[in-house]
Amino acid sequence: MAKRDFLTLLDVSPEELKALTQRAAELKRAHLAGEDHRSLTGRTAALILQLSSTRTRVAFEAGMAQLGGQTIFLSPAATQLGRGEPIGDTARVLSQMVDVAMIRTLSHDDLEAFAAAADIPVINAMTARYHPCQLLADLQTFEELRGPIGGRRVAFIGDGYNMCNSYINAARQWGFELRLACPPGHQPDAAALAKGHARLSETPEEAVEGAHLVVTDVWSSIGHEEEQAQRRQTFAPYQVTETLLDRADDRTLFLHCLPAHRGEEVNATVLDDPRCGAWTAAGNRLHSQKALLEFLLLDP
Ligand code: CP
């Protein structure tokens, strides 16, 4: 049977995504109850991180261990990737040694090249274009705290980058209304918008009106560090505050993938507001990634 990859949310069907979030919720209940669940005993994962990570790395490493498997962490500095070995050659070799590979790299093309050369399932642990693992946790969190997201209104405020692109895919897969407030010059690709699953609002205030979920991300993602000063000016009107959330639905939820920059995309206090689900979502990275590993390794 052909292997399955998880490079974007569009690699799985809406029905499979629903099953994944349900399984993540089951795994969370079992974990909190202290139940031992070793569905991946003897399996090995390679975790290739070419960029920094806290949540994604710990969720995959702890998740594999809890499921009875093990993870090998590969940084560019410690492998031949850092000395120029082609990514496709690395994929061919690792395919003979491990059962699944997770990769974080800026270049989505490199991720696709790795997946094309690999005989094992490949997971996107974040590229400049997409961050689908974060969306699994975000949608699990919304449904855990607020119920089904289908038909709800979601507002994404800020940079039209990998999280924004992932929300556009999520709107299609989960069937919610998505409004985007992104500064001129920082809107998602026209091609992504042309698919009709999101529409641009003029201001953050307009985007959040009646929203059941409000989401933001950092103004300067990995790879934009040298633009940070300019971006602080451009994005200043796009900061998420309690006052902005007051315009949303009475039961709105606020999510941020973290790490957050207080004083930039969020003010000093909104992450401590009762409407903030970012901490629950960070914890849910563990359960949603365990569900994803089971899906790719046990249900191909
Ligand atoms: N949200 C997220 O992916 O966090 P890390 O960069 O810490 O993995």
Side-chain angles (χ1 to χ4, degrees), residues 3-8 11-12 115-116 118 120-124 295-296:
K3 59 126 178 176
R4 299 283 300 270
D5 295 321
F6 186 68
L7 308 190
T8 81
D11 286 333
V12 284
I120 53 174
V122 176
I123 296 173
N124 179 355
F295 170 73
L296 293 175

Side-chain angles (χ1 to χ4, degrees), residues 49 51-58 104 125-126 131 133-134 163 217 222 256-259 285 289:
L49 297 178
L51 305 163
S52 308
S53 170
T54 299
R55 281 144 285 268
T56 307
R57 177 176 176 178
V58 175
R104 171 170 289 196
M126 197 190 82
H131 194 2
C133 288
Q134 182 67 46
M163 279 297 294
D217 191 10
I222 295 170
H256 186 309
C257 63
L258 305 176
R285 296 291 303 273
Q289 288 173 205

Side-chain angles (χ1 to χ4, degrees), residues 106 128 156-165 181-189 216-239 261 263-266:
L106 268 188
F156 183 93
I157 312 298
D159 195 6
Y161 195 57
N162 51 10
M163 279 297 294
C164 184
N165 291 334
C182 311
H186 298 279
Q187 293 166 349
D189 290 346
T216 193
D217 191 10
V218 293
W219 292 344
S220 296
S221 295
I222 295 170
H224 294 149
E225 289 82 359
E226 69 285 0
E227 301 169 24
Q228 199 160 357
Q230 177 60 49
R231 281 172 172 257
R232 273 200 201 108
Q233 286 183 17
T234 305
F235 283 82
Y238 293 78
Q239 186 180 76
H261 294 181
E264 294 192 9
E265 78 278 0
V266 287

